[in-house]
Amino acid sequence: MSLPDDIVAYHDALAPADREICDVLAGEIERALPEASRKVWHAHPVWFLDGNPIVGYDRLKDAVRLMFWSGQSFALPGLTASGSFQAAEARYTDVDQVDVDALASWLAAGRDIQWDYEHIRTNRGLVKRTVF
């Protein structure tokens, strides 16, 4: 897996246990979304399809949070609603908690189910469903 320098630097700054979680997440995301662009965006790694944020993760005080910007629209178990838009998350404190099968399902759903966050400003703060 060859990540951009900014994501590598993000991983390098993590504690070993958190880095292990993030390495697994990044590997699975890269495998499922090879055409996605990716960068550190708002201080954490995020993967984009056609300019729209799909998935990312960040280190919180008590866990590593995996975030799907359109995750509340997935008809799949395991994610918790997050924020006031359509985002949903999973949190991990140990690499053994990462269910790669569930993650693969969420990533597949993220490819097909997207809300248009890229144009939120031009849509006056509204998030609209994108059809693929």
Side-chain angles (χ1 to χ4, degrees):
M1 165 178 66
S2 178
L3 294 171
D5 291 343
D6 57 349
I7 295 178
V8 170
Y10 180 91
H11 283 215
D12 287 346
L14 295 169
D18 296 332
R19 181 178 181 160
E20 191 175 8
I21 294 167
C22 291
D23 285 346
V24 168
L25 295 176
E28 294 301 318
I29 295 166
E30 287 283 294
R31 193 173 354 278
L33 303 174
E35 75 282 18
S37 61
R38 64 263 202 256
K39 63 183 177 182
V40 171
W41 186 58
H42 296 287
H44 61 275
V46 178
W47 280 252
F48 300 81
L49 292 175
D50 297 322
N52 205 28
I54 304 301
V55 62
Y57 50 82
D58 62 326
R59 174 68 176 118
L60 302 175
K61 187 176 185 178
D62 60 345
V64 172
R65 172 178 54 185
L66 174 68
M67 174 79 72
F68 286 90
W69 270 255
S70 300
Q72 288 184 38
S73 298
F74 300 173
L76 298 166
L79 295 173
T80 304
S82 177
S84 59
F85 293 110
Q86 292 296 319
E89 66 181 41
R91 294 187 182 199
Y92 307 105
T93 57
D94 188 273
V95 71
D96 293 334
Q97 295 170 333
V98 179
D99 180 340
V100 294
D101 293 329
L103 179 53
S105 296
W106 300 332
L107 289 164
R111 174 187 302 285
D112 297 331
I113 302 169
Q114 295 179 33
W115 289 80
D116 186 6
Y117 287 94
E118 181 183 22
H119 298 103
I120 194 169
R121 286 191 181 119
T122 57
N123 291 332
R124 297 189 176 122
L126 298 175
V127 180
K128 298 178 180 181
R129 179 82 182 260
T130 302
V131 179
F132 288 94

